[in-house]
């Protein structure tokens, strides 16, 4: 699956850091090979729970209460509402940016 992750992220963050995008792509790894796994379904509570638990809590090491994390996920979902594809890389970039965690992926903190 050939996808231009940077182009998608830059629809939302014009000056997005290519190093951070590459770092998120590395983090996602093999999951990006499957079209279904490369997308985030904001209407699926299991999926948003997975984003909260695996990305926000484990990778970003956030300790905010679940409702605060869920609100951030919902805000990203609302921001991307008009987009037919909600690419995981873009969702993760926007969440990392929201929480000031771009440095974990090679960007400025």
């Amino acid at each position: 699956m050939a996808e231009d992750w940077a182009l998608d992220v830059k629809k939302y963050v014009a000056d997005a850091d290519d190093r951070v995008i590459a770092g998120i792509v590395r983090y996602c790894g093999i999951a990006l090979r499957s079209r279904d796994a490369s997308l985030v379904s904001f209407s699926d509570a299991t999926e948003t729970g997975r984003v909260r638990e695996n990305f926000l809590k484990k990778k970003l090491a956030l300790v905010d209460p679940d409702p605060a994390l869920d609100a951030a996920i919902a805000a990203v979902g609302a921001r991307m509402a008009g987009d037919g594809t909600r690419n995981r890389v873009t969702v993760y970039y926007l969440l990392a940016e929201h929480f000031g965690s771009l440095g974990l992926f090679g960007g400025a903190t």
Side-chain angles (χ1 to χ4, degrees):
M1 183 170 119
E3 183 78 40
D4 189 342
W5 305 111
L7 184 63
D8 193 67
V9 172
K10 290 178 182 182
K11 289 190 300 189
Y12 299 94
V13 182
D15 62 344
D17 188 325
D18 290 325
R19 292 170 301 173
V20 173
I21 296 167
I24 292 172
V25 169
R26 277 191 304 278
Y27 167 75
C28 291
I30 198 166
L32 297 179
R33 291 186 184 173
S34 161
R35 182 70 178 156
D36 187 51
S38 72
L39 303 175
V40 173
S41 172
F42 290 99
S43 61
D44 181 350
T46 302
E47 173 68 13
T48 57
R50 190 177 304 117
V51 170
R52 182 188 64 234
E53 297 301 318
N54 294 336
F55 185 69
L56 296 180
K57 288 184 177 181
K58 289 182 182 175
K59 180 61 181 173
L60 301 187
L62 298 175
V63 295
D64 301 48
D66 287 356
L69 299 175
D70 292 340
I73 294 168
V76 168
R79 186 172 175 186
M80 297 179 77
D83 197 337
T85 59
R86 292 167 191 95
N87 286 319
R88 187 167 302 277
V89 172
T90 303
V91 171
Y92 286 4
Y93 190 100
L94 295 173
L95 286 168
E97 179 183 57
H98 174 83
F99 287 106
S101 299
L102 295 177
L104 290 172
F105 300 98
T109 54

